[in-house]
Structures are given as structure tokens and as C-alpha cells.
Amino acid sequence: MPQQVVKQKSRGFICVNAHPEGCARNVERQVEEARAAVTRAGAGRTARAGIRNALVIGGSTGYGLASRVALAWGYGAGTLGVFFERPPEDDRTATAGWYNSVAFHRLAHRDGLKAASLNADAFSDETKRTACEILKRELGPVDLVVYSLASPKRQHPRTGVVHNSVLKPIDYPYTSKTIDLSTKKIHEITVQPATEQEIADTVAVMGGEDWKFWIDALLAEGLLAEGARTIAYSYIGPTLTWPIYWDGTIGRAKIHLEKTARELDALLAGRLRGNAWISVNKAIVTQASAAIPVVPLYMSLLFKVMQEEGIDEDAAAQMRRLYLEVYAPGKALVLDGDHRIRLDDRELRADVQAEVTLLWPEVTTENLLEISDFAGFDRGFKNLFGFDVDGVDYSKPVETDISW
Ligand code: NAD
């Protein structure tokens, strides 16, 4: 394929293409930061025992990619990444997660780290079988399984039914300010409550059933090492967003994920002296979080407040904190009363939330750029697709037909 100049193309607020070099820069930055963190901690990666191999489900963007980088460069772990991305075709670019994964493989190869990737629907039985074959062939049993899927739909592997997830409140309509990401205007929206079927469908997509299917498949094939652990990610957020998040359909799915964590914890403890946990992470800009009504406006205010306090973290910083500090080998893990790791402690700090609560009624289309970090949110969103990334010359043609 001849090289081409790639300009950002959007449909509504979503970017429909991606820039391979911009995506590569993003991954390079994450890798450099992880290497620097390991050097600062004074430990070479070989000294970090405990995670030889990790399976990262949803490992091409957002928290999954950040986990994969932290585990590979933090522990020297071999990683299998499973994700569902569109490959390049003719002059159509691939999705960002594809290019992120190409960059991940290039850097892992450069640094002598084992890496394999599987681009397929994680919800299917066939993908689980193929992942097990890859592990047997290329890596061996895994010490850690990260479950970081964010998907709008799931075809159930046993029934064939396609479940679509929705982001809706439960029982009552919810009216709030929100930002239209394409017009950049603040307006009021009312979201009608979900039906019982929509709640059940959202739980089927974003709850823990598929996580359990993965662990069952790996156990059956003897691909979980003694002491193996698994972590899935959740979000709770402030009361401001509860009607649409924690008390809404997605919150129900997260409660199901927590229930699954307790079941898997008992299963892995009994079989392998292992563990299962939920890590409740901070709000960050990802393709998944930008799609939630109200949340992008909340994040724009939150980022401004957290930056002023010097405590803001992106996905990479959160995952370095999780895997290199909180979860460090030999260190007792601190859990909340519901068996969860809390990386959202800084977001939920009383002073941070008090400030966001003060700003919330004040923010308008006119003062948006002044009192919030919407500019940072907007740029962060473009960065996800490899656009507006420092150091990239967007007028230069690039090869888009690349693979790992
Ligand atoms: P994301 O959109 O950046 O990543 C989603 C990943 O899932 C990608 O790798 C994608 O390829 C993969 N995926 C989607 N459907 C798939 C399928 N059918 N088969 C295989 N892979 C598939 O999302 P994210 O925001 O990083 O979310 C990951 C997890 O973190 C979610 O559980 C989310 O709720 C949680 N979380 C997110 C935030 C946030 O603010 N973004 C905060 C806390 C917790």
C-alpha cells in the first residue's frame, strides 16, 4: 500500500480513522514512563518476580493497554493481548487499538519481551480456545489475567443471543447538564429509565459472566500458574454521576462483576492459592467513557481540579500505580470493605469533590474553557486516535497497512 497523509475524520464526535504514528508515539510514551518508574524504584525488571506471563483481555486501548505496558516493562512479563480492532483495508486506516498493538509489539521485540496478540471477539468460545493454544505454544501458564473489556454488545456463546448494553438510569428519568462533544455546547438532557430487558442485557455484556468463562477455560487447560490472580476494572465515581453510572444500568453490571470477583476469588483460592479482585479506577478519557452522557463534562471539571492539586493521573499512571506500587510483590494488598482495590481515592477526595460540586452549577458553554479542562479532555480524546500528538508531522505520508 502506498503511504498516505492521514487527516482526522469524524462522525459525530467519534473519530472513524486513526493515525499510526500518533498511536505509536502514545505507546512509546507509556513505555518510557514505565521504564523510568522501574528505574526510579531502583529495581531492574528481572528483580520483580511474580508475574512471568499475563493475559490482558481488552489490551489494545485505555486501561487494558496501560496494564499491558505496566506488566511488560514493570515485570518483564510475557503478554498475550486479546482485543477486537478493525485491521487496515486498502486506503482505510485500522482502528487506534490495532496501531497501538503494532507499536507495542515493535517495542516489546526491541526490549526482548515476549508478546502475542489475538484480534478476535473475546466473548466467543473459539477465541478462548485460540488464546489457550497461543499460550501453550508461545508463553505457558499465566500468573495474571486482566479483564478490561468495554464493549457495546456481546453475542452470548451458548445461546447465540446478541445483548446490547445501554447507559441509562434505572426507575426514574434523569435530567442533567451534559456536553455535546461534536458542537462543544452544554445543554440539558433527559435520559429515560431502562427497561428490565435493557438492564439484563447490560449486565450480560459488561457483567462478570464472560470473565468467569475465561477463567474456567484457562483452568480447564491448566494455563493458570500456581498462585494465579485475576483483576477486572470498575468505576464508582461521585454521587453527581450516580444516576447515570453507579445507580444505572452500567452500575448493575459492575455489581455483577464484583459478585463474580468474589466467586472467582473463592475458586482460585481453592484451586491454586490464587485471588480475584476488582480495581476501582479513576475516570479517564477513553472511547468507552466519552460515550457516557454527563461524564465527559464531569471529567473536564475533575481534571482541572486534580491538575491544580497536582494529583491527576492518566491511564498509564493509574496502571503503574496499580501494578508497581499497590500490587507490588511481597506487599500486602489494601482492599476496601467490599474486597476492592481503590485507585479512585484521589478522584473521590473530599476536597476534590467539593470543588467539582461548586463548579458544576457554574459551568456554561461560555465559561467552559476557563473553569474546566475541556480543552485537555478534547485533546486527550483526539490523542486516543493518534491525532494532535506532540512530535508527529501530520502533513507527512505514513504507511497505514501495518501489522505486528
Ligand atoms: P476502552 O474502550 O479504551 O478499551 C476497551 C477494550 O476492549 C479495547 O481493547 C477493545 O478492543 C476491547 N474490546 C471491546 N469489545 C471486545 C470484544 N468483543 N472482544 C475483544 N475485545 C474487545 O475502554 P476502557 O475505558 O479502558 O475500559 C476498560 C475497563 O475499565 C472497563 O471495564 C471500564 O468500565 C473500566 N473503567 C474505565 C474507566 C474510564 O474512565 N475509562 C474508569 C474506571 C474503570
Side-chain angles (χ1 to χ4, degrees):
M1 179 68 215
Q3 299 195 347
Q4 55 171 321
V5 172
V6 181
K7 297 272 179 227
Q8 185 184 337
K9 279 193 217 143
S10 304
R11 195 179 310 122
F13 77 93
I14 275 289
C15 239
V16 293
N17 61 348
H19 198 284
E21 230 176 273
C23 292
R25 288 284 165 284
N26 290 336
V27 180
E28 283 162 13
R29 180 186 54 78
Q30 289 201 26
V31 167
E32 284 321 307
E33 287 171 355
R35 282 159 55 114
V38 169
T39 310
R40 265 198 311 279
R45 51 188 171 81
T46 43
R48 279 189 176 273
I51 305 181
R52 276 158 304 169
N53 291 317
L55 167 62
V56 185
I57 302 159
S60 56
T61 56
Y63 273 126
L65 172 66
S67 308
R68 195 176 184 192
V69 169
L71 293 164
W73 277 272
Y75 288 82
T79 55
L80 170 59
V82 178
F83 44 79
F84 210 18
E85 301 292 343
R86 189 189 70 221
E89 200 187 336
D90 304 326
D91 61 352
R92 197 170 172 217
T93 73
T95 47
W98 179 277
Y99 292 136
N100 291 341
S101 304
V102 173
F104 182 95
H105 273 262
R106 175 172 52 78
L107 298 167
H109 181 74
R110 178 196 73 186
D111 293 343
L113 296 164
K114 285 188 181 174
S117 288
L118 175 58
N119 188 47
D121 180 7
F123 296 127
S124 85
D125 286 341
E126 195 195 331
T127 298
K128 293 177 178 72
R129 276 195 297 275
T130 310
C132 288
E133 281 163 22
I134 295 174
L135 286 175
K136 281 183 197 162
R137 206 174 51 230
E138 298 185 29
L139 295 176
V142 297
D143 305 284
L144 180 70
V145 179
V146 176
Y147 191 79
S148 186
L149 286 187
S151 175
K153 64 172 190 221
R154 169 182 178 216
Q155 179 165 34
H156 198 284
R158 313 286 192 261
T159 63
V161 172
V162 176
H163 301 276
N164 290 294
S165 75
V166 297
L167 294 157
K168 290 191 178 180
I170 291 175
D171 291 337
Y172 304 101
Y174 171 51
T175 299
S176 171
K177 302 180 146 166
T178 193
I179 184 154
D180 181 326
L181 294 176
S182 35
T183 62
K184 307 189 184 346
K185 289 203 164 49
I186 294 179
H187 64 102
E188 201 163 79
I189 48 152
T190 298
V191 190
Q192 294 303 323
T195 61
E196 284 305 318
Q197 186 59 50
E198 286 175 323
I199 299 170
D201 282 335
T202 307
V203 172
V205 180
M206 290 298 287
E209 189 186 39
D210 180 65
W211 185 20
K212 168 100 172 49
F213 287 174
W214 271 100
I215 298 302
D216 288 344
L218 293 160
L219 268 175
E221 295 295 326
L223 284 167
L224 292 180
E226 182 69 17
R229 291 153 165 205
T230 183
I231 299 188
Y233 299 141
S234 184
Y235 180 69
I236 294 177
T239 48
L240 179 71
T241 59
W242 277 10
I244 196 73
Y245 200 94
W246 188 246
D247 288 340
T249 48
I250 182 72
R252 287 288 172 89
K254 293 301 185 187
I255 287 167
H256 187 270
L257 200 67
E258 288 186 10
K259 187 172 138 275
T260 310
R262 288 190 290 273
E263 286 166 19
L264 291 179
D265 196 56
L267 176 72
L268 292 180
R271 296 279 289 270
L272 300 165
R273 289 188 294 117
N275 294 95
W277 296 296
I278 294 290
S279 173
V280 183
N281 302 341
K282 169 191 174 280
I284 51 152
V285 188
T286 66
Q287 296 184 50
S289 67
I292 309 173
V294 185
V295 169
L297 182 56
Y298 161 72
M299 284 197 275
S300 303
L301 292 169
L302 175 75
F303 298 166
K304 173 101 170 174
V305 173
M306 291 186 78
Q307 282 157 17
E308 279 168 6
E309 292 292 321
I311 54 170
D312 198 23
E313 291 169 298
D314 62 7
Q318 278 261 297
M319 293 301 97
R320 286 197 302 276
R321 177 145 74 98
L322 176 60
Y323 291 110
L324 305 182
E325 294 175 33
V326 175
Y327 180 91
K331 193 168 164 185
L333 201 57
V334 179
L335 302 174
D336 73 4
D338 289 309
H339 199 69
R340 305 178 291 213
I341 300 167
R342 301 300 295 260
L343 288 186
D344 60 347
D345 50 346
R346 297 173 190 172
E347 172 179 350
L348 294 188
R349 240 170 58 177
D351 58 333
V352 169
Q353 286 305 320
E355 187 61 27
V356 174
T357 308
L358 273 180
L359 293 170
W360 184 256
E362 301 298 320
V363 66
T364 60
T365 304
E366 289 68 39
N367 67 17
L368 180 65
L369 294 178
E370 202 185 307
I371 72 168
S372 85
D373 185 32
F374 180 70
F377 175 92
D378 197 39
R379 183 161 192 221
F381 191 70
K382 288 183 185 133
N383 287 171
L384 295 179
F385 303 89
F387 295 106
D388 210 358
V389 175
D390 285 338
V392 178
D393 179 354
Y394 289 97
S395 65
K396 246 180 65 190
V398 282
E399 180 57 77
T400 54
D401 192 3
I402 52 175
S403 190
W404 53 90

Coordinates of all heavy atoms in Angstrom, one line a residue, residues 58-64 82-85 120-123 148-151 206 233-235 245 254 281-284 286-289, ligand 1:
G58 N -8.9 -7.2 26.4 CA -9.2 -5.8 26.2 C -7.9 -5.0 26.3 O -7.9 -3.9 26.8
G59 N -6.8 -5.5 25.7 CA -5.5 -4.9 25.9 C -5.0 -4.0 24.8 O -3.7 -3.7 24.8
S60 N -5.8 -3.4 24.0 CA -5.3 -2.6 22.9 C -5.5 -1.1 23.1 O -4.9 -0.3 22.4 CB -6.0 -3.0 21.6 OG -7.4 -2.9 21.8
T61 N -6.4 -0.7 24.1 CA -6.6 0.8 24.3 C -6.8 0.9 25.8 O -7.0 0.0 26.6 CB -7.8 1.3 23.6 OG1 -8.9 0.5 23.9 CG2 -7.6 1.3 22.1
G62 N -6.9 2.2 26.3 CA -7.4 2.5 27.6 C -6.7 1.8 28.7 O -5.4 1.6 28.7
Y63 N -7.5 1.3 29.7 CA -6.8 0.7 30.9 C -6.2 -0.6 30.5 O -5.2 -1.0 31.2 CB -7.9 0.5 32.0 CG -8.0 1.7 32.9 CD1 -9.2 2.4 33.1 CD2 -6.9 2.3 33.5 CE1 -9.3 3.5 33.9 CE2 -7.0 3.4 34.3 CZ -8.2 4.0 34.5 OH -8.3 5.1 35.3
G64 N -6.7 -1.3 29.5 CA -6.1 -2.6 29.2 C -4.7 -2.5 28.6 O -3.7 -3.1 29.0
V82 N -5.6 -9.7 24.1 CA -6.8 -10.1 23.3 C -7.6 -8.8 23.1 O -7.8 -8.1 24.1 CB -7.7 -11.2 24.0 CG1 -8.9 -11.5 23.2 CG2 -6.8 -12.4 24.2
F83 N -8.1 -8.5 21.9 CA -8.8 -7.3 21.6 C -9.6 -7.4 20.3 O -9.4 -8.4 19.6 CB -7.9 -6.1 21.6 CG -6.6 -6.3 20.8 CD1 -6.6 -6.2 19.5 CD2 -5.4 -6.6 21.5 CE1 -5.5 -6.5 18.7 CE2 -4.3 -6.8 20.8 CZ -4.3 -6.8 19.4
F84 N -10.5 -6.5 20.1 CA -11.3 -6.6 18.9 C -11.2 -5.3 18.1 O -11.9 -4.3 18.4 CB -12.7 -6.8 19.3 CG -13.6 -7.6 18.3 CD1 -13.0 -8.4 17.3 CD2 -14.9 -7.6 18.4 CE1 -13.7 -9.1 16.5 CE2 -15.7 -8.4 17.6 CZ -15.1 -9.1 16.6
E85 N -10.2 -5.2 17.2 CA -9.9 -4.0 16.4 C -10.1 -4.2 14.9 O -10.0 -5.3 14.4 CB -8.5 -3.5 16.7 CG -8.2 -3.3 18.2 CD -9.0 -2.0 18.8 OE1 -9.5 -1.2 18.0 OE2 -9.1 -2.0 20.0
A120 N -9.7 -10.7 18.1 CA -10.9 -11.6 17.9 C -11.9 -11.2 19.0 O -11.6 -10.6 20.0 CB -10.6 -13.0 18.0
D121 N -13.2 -11.7 18.8 CA -14.2 -11.4 19.8 C -14.0 -12.2 21.0 O -14.2 -13.4 21.1 CB -15.6 -11.8 19.1 CG -16.7 -11.5 20.1 OD1 -16.5 -10.9 21.1 OD2 -17.9 -11.9 19.7
A122 N -13.7 -11.5 22.1 CA -13.3 -12.2 23.4 C -14.5 -12.9 24.0 O -14.3 -13.8 24.8 CB -12.9 -11.1 24.4
F123 N -15.7 -12.6 23.5 CA -16.9 -13.3 24.1 C -17.1 -14.7 23.5 O -17.9 -15.4 24.0 CB -18.1 -12.4 23.9 CG -18.1 -11.1 24.6 CD1 -18.3 -9.9 23.9 CD2 -17.8 -11.0 25.9 CE1 -18.3 -8.6 24.5 CE2 -17.8 -9.7 26.6 CZ -18.0 -8.6 25.8
S148 N -10.4 -6.3 31.0 CA -10.6 -4.9 30.8 C -11.4 -4.6 29.5 O -11.1 -3.7 28.7 CB -9.2 -4.2 30.7 OG -9.4 -2.8 30.6
L149 N -12.5 -5.4 29.4 CA -13.3 -5.2 28.2 C -14.3 -4.0 28.4 O -14.8 -3.9 29.5 CB -14.1 -6.4 27.9 CG -13.5 -7.7 27.3 CD1 -14.5 -8.7 27.0 CD2 -12.7 -7.3 26.1
A150 N -14.5 -3.2 27.3 CA -15.6 -2.3 27.3 C -16.2 -2.5 25.9 O -15.5 -2.2 24.9 CB -15.1 -0.9 27.5
S151 N -17.4 -3.0 25.9 CA -18.0 -3.3 24.6 C -19.5 -2.9 24.6 O -20.1 -3.0 25.6 CB -17.9 -4.8 24.4 OG -18.6 -5.2 23.2
M206 N -21.5 -6.3 30.2 CA -20.5 -5.7 31.0 C -20.3 -6.3 32.4 O -19.5 -5.9 33.2 CB -20.7 -4.2 31.1 CG -20.5 -3.4 29.8 SD -18.8 -3.5 29.2 CE -17.9 -2.5 30.4
Y233 N -11.8 -4.3 36.1 CA -11.8 -2.9 36.4 C -13.3 -2.4 36.5 O -14.1 -2.8 35.8 CB -11.1 -2.1 35.3 CG -9.6 -2.5 35.2 CD1 -9.0 -2.5 34.0 CD2 -8.9 -2.8 36.4 CE1 -7.7 -2.9 33.9 CE2 -7.6 -3.1 36.3 CZ -6.9 -3.2 35.1 OH -5.6 -3.5 35.0
S234 N -13.4 -1.5 37.5 CA -14.7 -0.9 37.7 C -14.6 0.6 37.9 O -13.5 1.1 38.0 CB -15.4 -1.6 38.9 OG -16.7 -1.1 39.1
Y235 N -15.7 1.2 38.0 CA -15.8 2.7 38.3 C -17.0 2.9 39.2 O -18.0 2.3 39.0 CB -15.9 3.5 37.0 CG -15.9 5.0 37.2 CD1 -14.8 5.6 37.7 CD2 -17.1 5.7 37.0 CE1 -14.9 7.0 37.9 CE2 -17.2 7.1 37.2 CZ -16.0 7.7 37.7 OH -16.1 9.1 37.9
Y245 N -24.5 6.4 36.3 CA -23.5 5.4 36.3 C -23.7 4.3 37.4 O -24.3 3.3 37.1 CB -22.1 6.1 36.5 CG -21.0 5.1 36.1 CD1 -20.5 5.1 34.8 CD2 -20.6 4.0 36.9 CE1 -19.6 4.1 34.4 CE2 -19.7 3.1 36.5 CZ -19.2 3.1 35.3 OH -18.3 2.1 34.8
K254 N -21.5 -3.6 36.9 CA -20.4 -3.6 37.8 C -20.6 -4.4 39.1 O -19.7 -5.0 39.7 CB -19.9 -2.1 38.1 CG -19.4 -1.4 36.8 CD -18.2 -2.1 36.2 CE -17.6 -1.3 35.0 NZ -16.6 -2.0 34.3
N281 N -11.1 2.1 39.4 CA -10.1 3.1 38.8 C -10.8 4.5 38.7 O -12.0 4.7 38.7 CB -9.7 2.6 37.4 CG -9.0 1.3 37.5 OD1 -8.6 0.8 38.6 ND2 -8.9 0.6 36.4
K282 N -9.9 5.4 38.4 CA -10.3 6.8 38.3 C -10.9 7.0 36.9 O -10.6 6.3 35.9 CB -9.0 7.7 38.4 CG -9.1 9.1 38.0 CD -7.7 9.7 37.9 CE -7.9 11.1 37.3 NZ -8.0 11.1 35.8
A283 N -11.7 8.1 36.7 CA -12.2 8.5 35.4 C -11.1 9.0 34.5 O -10.4 9.9 34.9 CB -13.3 9.5 35.6
I284 N -11.0 8.4 33.3 CA -10.0 8.9 32.3 C -10.7 9.0 31.0 O -11.8 8.4 30.8 CB -8.8 7.9 32.2 CG1 -9.3 6.5 32.0 CG2 -7.9 8.0 33.4 CD1 -8.4 5.6 31.3
T286 N -11.4 7.8 27.6 CA -11.2 6.6 26.7 C -12.4 6.6 25.7 O -13.4 7.4 25.9 CB -11.2 5.3 27.4 OG1 -12.5 5.0 28.0 CG2 -10.1 5.2 28.5
Q287 N -12.4 5.8 24.7 CA -13.5 5.7 23.8 C -14.8 5.3 24.6 O -15.9 5.8 24.3 CB -13.2 4.7 22.7 CG -12.1 5.2 21.9 CD -11.8 4.2 20.7 OE1 -12.7 3.9 19.9 NE2 -10.5 3.8 20.5
A288 N -14.6 4.4 25.6 CA -15.8 4.0 26.3 C -16.4 5.1 27.2 O -17.6 5.3 27.2 CB -15.4 2.7 27.2
S289 N -15.5 5.8 27.9 CA -16.0 6.8 28.9 C -16.6 8.0 28.2 O -17.5 8.6 28.7 CB -14.9 7.2 29.9 OG -13.9 7.9 29.3
Ligands
NAD1 P1 -11.5 1.1 26.0 O1 -12.7 1.4 25.1 O2 -10.3 2.0 25.9 O3 -11.0 -0.4 25.8 C1 -11.8 -1.4 25.5 C2 -11.0 -2.6 25.1 O4 -11.9 -3.7 24.9 C3 -10.3 -2.5 23.8 O5 -9.0 -3.2 23.9 C4 -11.2 -3.2 22.8 O6 -10.5 -3.7 21.6 C5 -11.7 -4.3 23.7 N1 -12.9 -5.0 23.2 C6 -14.1 -4.4 23.1 N2 -15.0 -5.4 22.6 C7 -14.3 -6.5 22.5 C8 -14.6 -7.8 22.1 N3 -15.9 -8.2 21.8 N4 -13.7 -8.8 22.1 C9 -12.4 -8.4 22.4 N5 -12.0 -7.2 22.8 C10 -13.0 -6.3 22.9 O7 -12.2 1.1 27.5 P2 -11.7 1.5 29.0 O8 -12.3 2.8 29.3 O9 -10.2 1.3 29.1 O10 -12.4 0.4 29.8 C11 -11.8 -0.8 30.2 C12 -12.4 -1.2 31.6 O11 -12.1 -0.2 32.5 C13 -14.0 -1.3 31.6 O12 -14.4 -2.3 32.4 C14 -14.4 0.0 32.2 O13 -15.6 0.0 32.8 C15 -13.2 0.2 33.2 N6 -13.0 1.6 33.7 C16 -13.0 2.6 32.9 C17 -12.8 3.9 33.4 C18 -12.7 5.1 32.5 O14 -12.9 6.2 33.0 N7 -12.5 4.9 31.2 C19 -12.8 4.1 34.8 C20 -12.8 3.0 35.6 C21 -13.0 1.7 35.1

